[in-house]
Short mmCIF file of all heavy atoms in Angstrom, two decimals:
data_model
loop_
_atom_site.label_atom_id
_atom_site.label_comp_id
_atom_site.label_asym_id
_atom_site.label_seq_id
_atom_site.Cartn_x
_atom_site.Cartn_y
_atom_site.Cartn_z
N ARG A 1 -67.43 26.40 -21.44
CA ARG A 1 -67.35 26.93 -22.81
C ARG A 1 -68.08 26.08 -23.83
O ARG A 1 -68.84 26.61 -24.64
CB ARG A 1 -65.87 27.06 -23.21
CG ARG A 1 -65.69 27.72 -24.57
CD ARG A 1 -64.24 27.97 -24.89
NE ARG A 1 -64.10 28.59 -26.22
CZ ARG A 1 -62.94 28.79 -26.82
NH1 ARG A 1 -61.80 28.46 -26.20
NH2 ARG A 1 -62.90 29.34 -28.01
N HIS A 2 -67.82 24.77 -23.84
CA HIS A 2 -68.46 23.89 -24.82
C HIS A 2 -69.15 22.74 -24.09
O HIS A 2 -68.66 22.26 -23.07
CB HIS A 2 -67.42 23.28 -25.79
CG HIS A 2 -66.52 24.27 -26.45
ND1 HIS A 2 -66.98 25.34 -27.18
CD2 HIS A 2 -65.16 24.33 -26.52
CE1 HIS A 2 -65.95 26.03 -27.66
NE2 HIS A 2 -64.85 25.44 -27.26
N VAL A 3 -70.27 22.28 -24.66
CA VAL A 3 -70.98 21.12 -24.13
C VAL A 3 -71.34 20.21 -25.30
O VAL A 3 -71.88 20.68 -26.31
CB VAL A 3 -72.25 21.51 -23.36
CG1 VAL A 3 -72.97 20.26 -22.86
CG2 VAL A 3 -71.91 22.43 -22.19
N ILE A 4 -71.04 18.93 -25.14
CA ILE A 4 -71.31 17.93 -26.18
C ILE A 4 -72.29 16.91 -25.61
O ILE A 4 -72.10 16.40 -24.50
CB ILE A 4 -70.00 17.23 -26.60
CG1 ILE A 4 -69.02 18.26 -27.20
CG2 ILE A 4 -70.26 16.11 -27.59
CD1 ILE A 4 -67.60 17.75 -27.31
N VAL A 5 -73.34 16.63 -26.35
CA VAL A 5 -74.33 15.62 -25.96
C VAL A 5 -74.51 14.65 -27.11
O VAL A 5 -74.80 15.06 -28.24
CB VAL A 5 -75.69 16.25 -25.61
CG1 VAL A 5 -76.70 15.17 -25.24
CG2 VAL A 5 -75.56 17.25 -24.46
N ASP A 6 -74.28 13.36 -26.83
CA ASP A 6 -74.48 12.32 -27.84
C ASP A 6 -73.61 12.58 -29.07
O ASP A 6 -74.00 12.28 -30.20
CB ASP A 6 -75.94 12.24 -28.25
CG ASP A 6 -76.38 10.81 -28.56
OD1 ASP A 6 -75.98 9.90 -27.80
OD2 ASP A 6 -77.11 10.61 -29.55
N GLY A 7 -72.43 13.16 -28.85
CA GLY A 7 -71.51 13.44 -29.94
C GLY A 7 -71.76 14.73 -30.68
O GLY A 7 -70.99 15.09 -31.58
N ASN A 8 -72.82 15.47 -30.33
CA ASN A 8 -73.15 16.73 -30.99
C ASN A 8 -72.76 17.92 -30.10
O ASN A 8 -73.01 17.90 -28.88
CB ASN A 8 -74.66 16.81 -31.29
CG ASN A 8 -75.09 15.75 -32.28
OD1 ASN A 8 -74.48 15.58 -33.33
ND2 ASN A 8 -76.14 15.01 -31.94
N ILE A 9 -72.19 18.93 -30.69
CA ILE A 9 -71.83 20.14 -29.95
C ILE A 9 -73.10 20.97 -29.79
O ILE A 9 -73.56 21.61 -30.73
CB ILE A 9 -70.75 20.95 -30.70
CG1 ILE A 9 -69.54 20.07 -31.00
CG2 ILE A 9 -70.34 22.16 -29.88
CD1 ILE A 9 -68.56 20.69 -31.98
N VAL A 10 -73.66 20.95 -28.59
CA VAL A 10 -74.92 21.66 -28.36
C VAL A 10 -74.69 23.03 -27.73
O VAL A 10 -75.57 23.90 -27.80
CB VAL A 10 -75.90 20.82 -27.50
CG1 VAL A 10 -76.34 19.58 -28.25
CG2 VAL A 10 -75.27 20.43 -26.18
N VAL A 11 -73.55 23.23 -27.10
CA VAL A 11 -73.13 24.56 -26.65
C VAL A 11 -71.72 24.78 -27.17
O VAL A 11 -70.82 24.00 -26.88
CB VAL A 11 -73.16 24.68 -25.11
CG1 VAL A 11 -72.57 26.03 -24.67
CG2 VAL A 11 -74.57 24.52 -24.56
N ARG A 12 -71.55 25.82 -27.97
CA ARG A 12 -70.23 26.17 -28.49
C ARG A 12 -69.96 27.64 -28.13
O ARG A 12 -70.77 28.52 -28.39
CB ARG A 12 -70.17 26.01 -30.01
CG ARG A 12 -68.77 26.25 -30.59
CD ARG A 12 -68.80 26.35 -32.09
NE ARG A 12 -69.03 25.07 -32.76
CZ ARG A 12 -68.06 24.21 -33.08
NH1 ARG A 12 -66.80 24.49 -32.79
NH2 ARG A 12 -68.36 23.09 -33.71
N ASP A 13 -68.82 27.84 -27.51
CA ASP A 13 -68.45 29.20 -27.08
C ASP A 13 -69.57 29.85 -26.27
O ASP A 13 -69.93 31.00 -26.49
CB ASP A 13 -68.07 30.06 -28.29
CG ASP A 13 -66.78 29.58 -28.92
OD1 ASP A 13 -65.86 29.18 -28.18
OD2 ASP A 13 -66.69 29.61 -30.17
N ARG A 14 -70.13 29.05 -25.36
CA ARG A 14 -71.12 29.51 -24.37
C ARG A 14 -72.48 29.86 -24.97
O ARG A 14 -73.29 30.52 -24.32
CB ARG A 14 -70.57 30.72 -23.59
CG ARG A 14 -69.27 30.40 -22.84
CD ARG A 14 -68.71 31.62 -22.11
NE ARG A 14 -67.52 31.25 -21.34
CZ ARG A 14 -66.28 31.24 -21.80
NH1 ARG A 14 -66.06 31.59 -23.08
NH2 ARG A 14 -65.26 30.89 -21.04
N ARG A 15 -72.75 29.44 -26.19
CA ARG A 15 -74.04 29.69 -26.82
C ARG A 15 -74.64 28.39 -27.32
O ARG A 15 -73.94 27.52 -27.85
CB ARG A 15 -73.91 30.67 -28.00
CG ARG A 15 -73.39 32.04 -27.63
CD ARG A 15 -74.37 32.83 -26.78
NE ARG A 15 -75.60 33.17 -27.50
CZ ARG A 15 -76.61 33.83 -26.96
NH1 ARG A 15 -76.56 34.20 -25.69
NH2 ARG A 15 -77.67 34.13 -27.67
N LEU A 16 -75.95 28.26 -27.15
CA LEU A 16 -76.66 27.09 -27.63
C LEU A 16 -76.58 27.03 -29.16
O LEU A 16 -76.77 28.05 -29.83
CB LEU A 16 -78.12 27.16 -27.18
CG LEU A 16 -78.99 25.91 -27.34
CD1 LEU A 16 -78.47 24.79 -26.45
CD2 LEU A 16 -80.44 26.24 -26.97
N THR A 17 -76.29 25.87 -29.71
CA THR A 17 -76.16 25.73 -31.16
C THR A 17 -77.42 25.18 -31.81
O THR A 17 -77.61 25.32 -33.02
CB THR A 17 -75.00 24.79 -31.51
OG1 THR A 17 -75.31 23.47 -31.07
CG2 THR A 17 -73.70 25.24 -30.87
N THR A 18 -78.28 24.54 -31.04
CA THR A 18 -79.43 23.85 -31.62
C THR A 18 -80.62 24.77 -31.85
O THR A 18 -81.45 24.52 -32.73
CB THR A 18 -79.85 22.69 -30.72
OG1 THR A 18 -80.02 23.19 -29.38
CG2 THR A 18 -78.79 21.59 -30.71
N VAL A 19 -80.73 25.80 -31.02
CA VAL A 19 -81.84 26.74 -31.08
C VAL A 19 -81.28 28.14 -30.87
O VAL A 19 -80.37 28.34 -30.05
CB VAL A 19 -82.89 26.46 -29.98
CG1 VAL A 19 -84.07 27.43 -30.08
CG2 VAL A 19 -83.39 25.02 -30.05
N ASP A 20 -81.79 29.09 -31.59
CA ASP A 20 -81.42 30.48 -31.35
C ASP A 20 -81.94 30.87 -29.96
O ASP A 20 -83.15 30.89 -29.72
CB ASP A 20 -82.05 31.38 -32.43
CG ASP A 20 -81.65 32.84 -32.30
OD1 ASP A 20 -81.19 33.25 -31.21
OD2 ASP A 20 -81.81 33.59 -33.29
N GLU A 21 -81.04 31.16 -29.04
CA GLU A 21 -81.44 31.42 -27.66
C GLU A 21 -82.45 32.57 -27.54
O GLU A 21 -83.33 32.55 -26.67
CB GLU A 21 -80.22 31.72 -26.79
CG GLU A 21 -79.34 30.50 -26.55
CD GLU A 21 -78.21 30.79 -25.57
OE1 GLU A 21 -78.27 31.81 -24.86
OE2 GLU A 21 -77.26 29.98 -25.52
N SER A 22 -82.35 33.54 -28.40
CA SER A 22 -83.27 34.68 -28.32
C SER A 22 -84.72 34.25 -28.54
O SER A 22 -85.64 34.84 -27.96
CB SER A 22 -82.88 35.76 -29.33
OG SER A 22 -83.04 35.30 -30.67
N THR A 23 -84.93 33.21 -29.35
CA THR A 23 -86.29 32.73 -29.57
C THR A 23 -86.87 32.08 -28.32
O THR A 23 -88.08 32.14 -28.09
CB THR A 23 -86.35 31.74 -30.74
OG1 THR A 23 -85.60 30.56 -30.42
CG2 THR A 23 -85.77 32.35 -32.01
N ILE A 24 -86.00 31.48 -27.50
CA ILE A 24 -86.46 30.91 -26.24
C ILE A 24 -86.90 32.01 -25.29
O ILE A 24 -87.98 31.96 -24.68
CB ILE A 24 -85.36 30.04 -25.60
CG1 ILE A 24 -85.03 28.85 -26.51
CG2 ILE A 24 -85.79 29.56 -24.21
CD1 ILE A 24 -83.93 27.95 -25.99
N TYR A 25 -86.07 33.05 -25.16
CA TYR A 25 -86.43 34.16 -24.28
C TYR A 25 -87.70 34.85 -24.76
O TYR A 25 -88.55 35.26 -23.95
CB TYR A 25 -85.28 35.16 -24.20
CG TYR A 25 -83.99 34.55 -23.69
CD1 TYR A 25 -82.77 34.82 -24.31
CD2 TYR A 25 -83.98 33.70 -22.59
CE1 TYR A 25 -81.59 34.26 -23.84
CE2 TYR A 25 -82.81 33.13 -22.12
CZ TYR A 25 -81.61 33.42 -22.76
OH TYR A 25 -80.45 32.86 -22.30
N ASP A 26 -87.86 34.97 -26.07
CA ASP A 26 -89.08 35.59 -26.61
C ASP A 26 -90.31 34.73 -26.28
O ASP A 26 -91.38 35.27 -25.93
CB ASP A 26 -88.96 35.75 -28.13
CG ASP A 26 -87.96 36.83 -28.53
OD1 ASP A 26 -87.57 37.64 -27.66
OD2 ASP A 26 -87.54 36.84 -29.71
N ALA A 27 -90.17 33.41 -26.40
CA ALA A 27 -91.29 32.52 -26.10
C ALA A 27 -91.68 32.61 -24.63
O ALA A 27 -92.87 32.58 -24.28
CB ALA A 27 -90.92 31.07 -26.47
#
């Protein structure tokens, strides 16, 4: 559900928080 790296929540509720995942799939 959640992933924390270096104290930052980078996955919250199974979604990446740092980048809009749709932009990755589009790229």
Side-chain angles (χ1 to χ4, degrees):
R1 185 174 179 187
H2 308 305
V3 179
I4 298 165
V5 179
D6 215 42
N8 296 311
I9 305 168
V10 294
V11 174
R12 185 191 288 273
D13 292 322
R14 301 178 176 87
R15 298 293 293 179
L16 192 65
T17 67
T18 52
V19 182
D20 183 341
E21 290 186 16
S22 66
T23 65
I24 297 178
Y25 301 135
D26 289 345

